[in-house]
Amino acid sequence: MLFLLLACTDPTALTDGPRPVSETTWAALVAPEYASHAGRAILARDGAVRFSDAGPVANVPTYEPSYEGSVDVVEADSGVRVVIDRSGVRLLMWLDRDDLEPVVAESVWIDGAGRTVPDGGAGVYVRSGWIDVDEDGAHLPLSWPLSGTVDVPDAFIDEWYTPGSAPADFEGPTAMVETATPVLDAHGNVLAVIEDTPAEVTVLERRGDQRLIGVEGGRCGGGTQVRGWVDAAVLDEEPDYGIGRGYCCGFGFGDWGFGSYGGGGTTTLPPERLLWDAPDGDVVGVVLGRASGVDADGVEIVGGVTLRVDADAGELPGWEAVIVPTRQGVLTVWAKQSDGDLDDLAPPDPA
């Protein structure tokens, strides 16, 4: 069908220069490689890919599913638009929300009933990002020396999130908890239980026979922090010893390849060459290029990117249909054989 449409299209109408792009698209195209954008999303599965929120599904041949990774978010509407930097190419594309993991949208302190707490109040710090979700809702599991889970209300859940940093360490005198101790919020709800092993906590406030304490669970890249009230009797506020802990585990993924799709040979596109969803369509990406060393002045040299040509996409003078591998599959986009570079786009007027 695309071939027939191209055959009926006047090529001169498609080579007068790039069409205007939105301010959001412009910002995503010119952002430094690996720059953070509006937020992040976590892939639940490989699903529908579109170049516009309401557009048709992009041409994605079937292949082995990718791992469940995270992607940068450019904007969100009924779907979520993400930016993929892959194989020296950046693509901007829309994913269905059903193909993304529900996550905590923004970091927040909540009490045992799921209400936000004032600064310094008793609660649990729920960091934006991944959360356990089942048929009963969203839950934050607590890490040693804490036990239990915290229910996270739906109001804090979305399919994309704004990354949040770990809160500052608690400051104040330390104390030891020697027994299994419930930690309460200001309304008497149990936030967490400190396990029946010695645990070090920070005393934040004294109020009669009650102590507001701060306690942290596993700190691998962002632990769980809890502020809550306990009886003074369960604390040793003048301990003659302390404890330390430090443990982390991790895993990583390397690069992977794709089969030889396309059947039309290869072409090399220079850095900053724009990519389109169709010759008469919209700008949906840009060639980032590949580092190929440094020059005599120590400046990094960035070369072109070699991509396979999609022989099944049809032909149009002055254009090439190329295949870009992504986590969601291999996508066909179009590039001009000459010109059509990032410099040809005028920055949108924010007004």
Side-chain angles (χ1 to χ4, degrees):
M1 178 62 72
L2 179 58
F3 179 82
L4 295 176
L5 290 174
L6 295 179
C8 299
T9 302
D10 178 7
T12 60
L14 306 178
T15 56
D16 293 338
R19 288 161 177 72
V21 296
S22 69
E23 186 176 359
T24 302
T25 297
W26 169 261
L29 290 174
V30 302
E33 191 171 3
Y34 307 120
S36 60
H37 295 275
R40 300 282 290 172
I42 300 171
L43 303 178
R45 56 182 173 268
D46 295 316
V49 175
R50 293 171 170 81
F51 286 126
S52 64
D53 195 12
V57 176
N59 175 30
V60 185
T62 302
Y63 76 107
E64 287 297 317
S66 66
Y67 73 87
E68 297 178 2
S70 60
V71 290
D72 284 320
V73 172
V74 177
E75 58 183 314
D77 201 335
S78 60
V80 175
R81 195 184 191 197
V82 302
V83 54
I84 300 292
D85 288 356
R86 192 74 184 154
S87 303
V89 172
R90 171 173 295 166
L91 287 183
L92 310 177
M93 55 195 188
W94 290 86
L95 303 177
D96 289 344
R97 286 179 176 264
D98 288 346
D99 295 323
L100 302 172
E101 292 281 0
V103 291
V104 177
E106 295 185 11
S107 300
V108 62
W109 283 89
I110 62 173
D111 66 14
R115 298 167 293 206
T116 57
V117 299
D119 290 344
V124 178
Y125 181 73
V126 182
R127 189 174 177 179
S128 62
W130 206 298
I131 197 77
D132 286 351
V133 180
D134 56 29
E135 62 274 7
D136 296 323
H139 318 280
L140 172 68
L142 302 178
S143 305
W144 185 90
L146 303 168
S147 67
T149 60
V150 177
D151 293 336
V152 181
D154 290 342
F156 300 118
I157 305 299
D158 204 333
E159 285 78 32
W160 69 285
Y161 66 98
T162 303
S165 59
D169 292 337
F170 294 122
E171 295 185 1
T174 59
M176 299 299 297
V177 177
E178 295 289 350
T179 60
T181 302
V183 183
L184 309 180
D185 67 14
H187 305 279
N189 300 307
V190 176
L191 295 169
V193 175
I194 300 177
E195 293 286 6
D196 56 351
T197 54
E200 187 175 277
V201 300
T202 303
V203 179
L204 304 174
E205 183 180 339
R206 295 177 174 86
R207 187 178 298 172
D209 293 334
Q210 298 292 306
R211 300 290 184 266
L212 180 67
I213 64 168
V215 57
E216 300 182 65
R219 294 282 294 176
C220 288
T224 305
Q225 285 198 354
V226 175
R227 289 190 301 249
W229 294 95
V230 299
D231 290 332
V234 304
L235 297 180
D236 179 0
E237 297 193 54
E238 296 182 357
D240 55 6
Y241 70 99
I243 61 172
R245 62 185 184 274
Y247 57 91
C248 279
C249 58
F251 56 89
F253 294 92
D255 208 343
W256 65 91
F258 295 83
S260 297
Y261 297 103
T266 62
T267 186
T268 300
L269 301 179
E272 299 194 349
R273 180 61 50 87
L274 295 170
L275 301 171
W276 308 63
D277 60 353
D280 58 347
D282 298 315
V283 175
V284 295
V286 66
V287 176
L288 300 175
R290 291 184 183 274
S292 58
V294 295
D295 62 18
D297 298 322
V299 178
E300 184 179 60
I301 300 172
V302 179
V305 174
T306 300
L307 299 169
R308 296 195 65 83
V309 175
D310 188 347
D312 297 327
E315 296 183 4
L316 188 70
W319 292 82
E320 291 179 302
V322 295
I323 291 175
V324 178
T326 74
R327 292 172 179 174
Q328 288 69 41
V330 289
L331 305 177
T332 297
V333 291
W334 290 79
K336 291 185 176 182
Q337 292 175 331
S338 62
D339 299 322
D341 294 329
L342 191 58
D343 287 342
D344 295 334
L345 289 182
D349 185 355

